[in-house]
Amino acid sequence: MAKKIIRVISRAANGTLRTKEYENFDEIAELHSQIGIDDCSTDLSLRGLPLFRGLVGPMPESKTTVCYESPDVFEFLTKEWSQASTKRRRRVSAKIAEVVTEELSEPAVKPNFVPIPKMILSPLFDVATVNR
């Protein structure tokens, strides 16, 4: 199993995001006091990880990375994520939809129809007996 990387994201003095990575929780515990452990995360790999005062997390970033964020960074990134517009995609391209529409407008099974010659359609012949 690969080692977990603990990433802490906070805001620098000039307003930019500052990311620092740690290999174990001891280094983070020197900077932030531990207030408990995560026992209710829906991601089972996060259960049992420490909770720190002043940090939001733990949050999964990948299989090997756990992320903690300062509250202002968490709020900023959440707003940015929620306001990001996604480009709407069509499920079927216009050309494919046009071909499918044309195929659907034509009958799937063409009737096996042979027209009756005009000379047979005379008042002397009964149409019902001719088609037999």
Side-chain angles (χ1 to χ4, degrees):
M1 184 173 133
K3 273 189 153 183
K4 285 232 186 246
I5 298 171
I6 303 110
R7 182 172 292 146
V8 177
I9 303 172
S10 59
R11 196 167 292 280
N14 62 359
T16 61
L17 296 179
R18 180 179 64 187
T19 304
K20 187 151 184 186
E21 295 182 355
Y22 300 95
E23 291 186 11
N24 56 34
F25 291 103
D26 297 334
E27 298 174 37
I28 300 172
E30 292 175 6
L31 302 171
H32 301 278
S33 57
Q34 183 176 344
I35 56 172
I37 59 167
D38 187 0
D39 61 349
C40 62
S41 179
T42 56
D43 188 344
L44 298 178
S45 66
L46 298 178
R47 288 193 183 179
L49 295 181
L51 300 173
F52 295 106
R53 184 176 312 279
L55 294 177
V56 178
M59 295 174 279
E61 203 166 287
S62 68
K63 287 187 176 188
T64 59
T65 306
V66 176
C67 181
Y68 289 87
E69 298 173 351
S70 65
D72 59 328
V73 170
F74 176 76
E75 183 180 346
F76 170 75
L77 293 177
T78 303
K79 281 183 182 178
E80 188 177 271
W81 170 78
S82 67
Q83 293 174 354
S85 62
T86 57
K87 184 177 180 182
R88 296 188 182 251
R89 299 183 329 184
R90 291 184 176 179
R91 291 185 180 218
V92 179
S93 70
K95 189 165 188 110
I96 293 173
E98 184 179 314
V99 170
V100 169
T101 307
E102 287 175 8
E103 288 177 1
L104 291 177
S105 64
E106 296 176 10
V109 177
K110 295 184 180 181
N112 199 2
F113 175 69
V114 178
I116 300 172
K118 289 184 182 179
M119 61 179 213
I120 296 178
L121 296 176
S122 68
L124 300 174
F125 293 103
D126 183 19
V127 175
T129 59
V130 172
N131 286 333
R132 284 187 188 171

